[in-house]
Amino acid sequence: MAAVALLSSCGGSGKTEQAVAAEATALPKVKVATVNTEAVAQIEEFSTTVEAEVKNNIIPNSPLRIEKILVEVGQSVRKGQKLVQLDASNLNQLKLQYENQLIDFKRIEELYKVGGTSQSEYENAKTQLEVSKKALESRLENTVLLSPIDGVVSARNYDNGDMYGSKPILVVEQISPVKMKINVSESRYAQTSKGLGVKLTFAAFGSEEFDGKVNIVYPTIDAATHTFPVEITLANKDRKVRPGMFGRAYVNFGTLQHVVVPDAAVVKQAGSGNFYVYVYKNGKVEYKQVELGRRMENRYEILSGIEPGAEVVVAGQTGLTNGSEVEVIK
């Protein structure tokens, strides 16, 4: 009966006592890879929002009734194009006043030339004529509002017949080119210059890339954030990108020689933002914290924590602890 019991205990798992004992003393099996340095592009990503290159509020010099708005939101306009016609009821009166004063001035000027009037009377008439002329010019400008730029009408706040209030009648924006601002770490200041190329993507267009460039590098550093503003310009000749769009800017600050490891080697510590890699040496593994840089498809740039030539564990990390003895398999 004892023999039957022994056979039953071994036969239940299909393994002999020797096999079970061998498994208990077997070393964890791991795969390793040797890592080295590579020239890694120092590309940083920034969130940004598109702005118009120029934004003009179309407003009159004085409150008048709006006779007619000649354009609609979304319409492209040219510099000097007529946008708004305002009430012109007082314009004829000003024209008549100016013409009468011009006649009076010419008469006084002729008398002044022959000594028929004093210099003070002549100067007074000349001043009055200039005042009337400026008033007429101002009313002309205030009767017909023109576009100061080539652009697109982005807002309309009134209807025909409304009295002008506090808001602009129209807003015209130049969207070719457009601009964006990002805040760059002060450690990149020496590597940032006007003309530096920038890759841009926008939520509205998925993974499609656009080519921009650095247009302005602001000369001061924010003491609180240790960053400095950078303005990026996008030609936007097809006017595809519009103000207000959310985008991402990818700036390449050159290349550096850094260790690169397979992503399978990187282990995230549970409950923290720390990352580790098991380094194999002389039959054992050592748990080393690393600072990650860019992810490049199935590899990570390592900024610190591992030396070139190290062998890192890329498979079999489960159950390993710092100092564990392991068996390397092909």
Side-chain angles (χ1 to χ4, degrees):
M1 291 177 62
V4 171
L6 178 60
L7 287 171
S8 298
S9 64
C10 294
S13 63
K15 299 177 181 178
T16 65
E17 288 182 342
Q18 292 82 358
V20 172
E23 282 187 1
T25 59
L27 298 177
K29 294 179 173 56
V30 299
K31 291 183 179 181
V32 299
T34 303
V35 298
N36 289 295
T37 60
E38 294 182 19
V40 181
Q42 300 302 293
I43 299 174
E44 293 191 17
E45 177 184 338
F46 303 88
S47 298
T48 187
T49 302
V50 180
E51 300 176 28
E53 176 70 11
V54 179
K55 182 177 180 179
N56 285 128
N57 295 322
I58 308 302
I59 59 175
N61 295 329
S62 59
L64 291 172
R65 188 171 300 281
I66 300 168
E67 188 173 299
K68 191 173 184 181
I69 298 175
L70 304 169
V71 292
E72 295 295 338
V73 172
Q75 183 175 334
S76 296
V77 297
R78 305 295 297 176
K79 182 177 181 179
Q81 181 176 335
K82 185 176 178 180
L83 303 180
V84 182
Q85 175 69 52
L86 298 171
D87 181 20
S89 57
N90 292 329
L91 185 59
N92 291 334
Q93 183 180 349
L94 286 173
K95 283 182 179 179
L96 182 60
Q97 180 181 338
Y98 173 73
E99 289 169 357
N100 289 335
Q101 286 186 330
L102 180 60
I103 293 170
D104 288 341
F105 173 73
K106 288 181 178 179
R107 178 179 58 81
I108 293 172
E109 185 178 37
E110 291 299 323
L111 290 172
Y112 176 69
K113 288 179 180 179
V114 298
T117 187
S118 66
Q119 182 175 354
S120 61
E121 187 176 358
Y122 167 76
E123 294 292 344
N124 182 60
K126 184 177 181 181
T127 300
Q128 291 300 319
L129 181 64
E130 289 176 353
V131 169
S132 294
K133 183 179 180 181
K134 288 183 178 179
L136 178 59
E137 290 174 347
S138 177
R139 181 49 58 91
L140 283 169
E141 291 178 359
N142 209 40
T143 301
V144 178
L145 304 184
L146 308 178
S147 176
I149 58 172
D150 293 340
V152 173
V153 179
S154 61
R156 170 177 171 166
N157 296 311
Y158 299 90
D159 290 322
N160 296 337
D162 286 345
M163 178 64 74
Y164 169 71
S166 57
K167 293 182 179 179
I169 298 175
L170 299 169
V171 177
V172 177
E173 300 187 37
Q174 183 181 342
I175 61 171
S176 180
V178 290
K179 62 185 179 182
M180 290 140 278
K181 284 186 180 178
I182 59 175
N183 291 312
V184 180
S185 170
E186 67 175 302
S187 63
R188 297 294 192 187
Y189 193 83
Q191 299 159 287
T192 309
S193 60
K194 183 175 181 178
L196 182 65
V198 180
K199 292 293 183 182
L200 299 161
T201 61
F202 300 95
F205 306 118
S207 60
E208 182 180 357
E209 287 190 343
F210 298 79
D211 293 318
K213 64 180 180 179
V214 171
N215 186 47
I216 299 175
V217 179
Y218 285 71
T220 56
I221 309 295
D222 187 314
T225 63
H226 296 287
T227 61
F228 61 96
V230 170
E231 182 181 293
I232 299 166
T233 298
L234 173 64
N236 200 31
K237 292 181 180 179
D238 57 2
R239 298 187 174 186
K240 189 174 182 178
V241 177
R242 295 302 175 104
M245 283 185 174
F246 174 79
R248 297 190 181 278
Y250 300 89
V251 185
N252 189 340
F253 293 101
T255 59
L256 289 175
Q257 291 289 330
H258 281 158
V259 171
V260 176
V261 304
D263 58 0
V266 179
V267 178
K268 187 178 185 298
Q269 187 181 47
S272 76
N274 297 329
F275 294 90
Y276 292 82
V277 169
Y278 285 103
V279 176
Y280 173 77
K281 187 175 182 180
N282 298 327
K284 296 182 179 181
V285 291
E286 184 179 355
Y287 200 43
K288 287 197 171 185
Q289 184 175 348
V290 294
E291 181 184 357
L292 299 184
R294 288 181 59 212
R295 178 163 187 162
M296 301 169 290
E297 295 182 351
N298 62 344
R299 301 183 302 159
Y300 273 109
E301 172 191 21
I302 302 297
L303 303 180
S304 64
I306 299 179
E307 297 298 323
E311 292 185 299
V312 300
V313 176
V314 295
Q317 294 100 324
T318 304
L320 294 183
T321 58
N322 193 34
S324 294
E325 293 186 5
V326 296
E327 178 186 348
V328 175
I329 60 174
K330 297 292 186 182

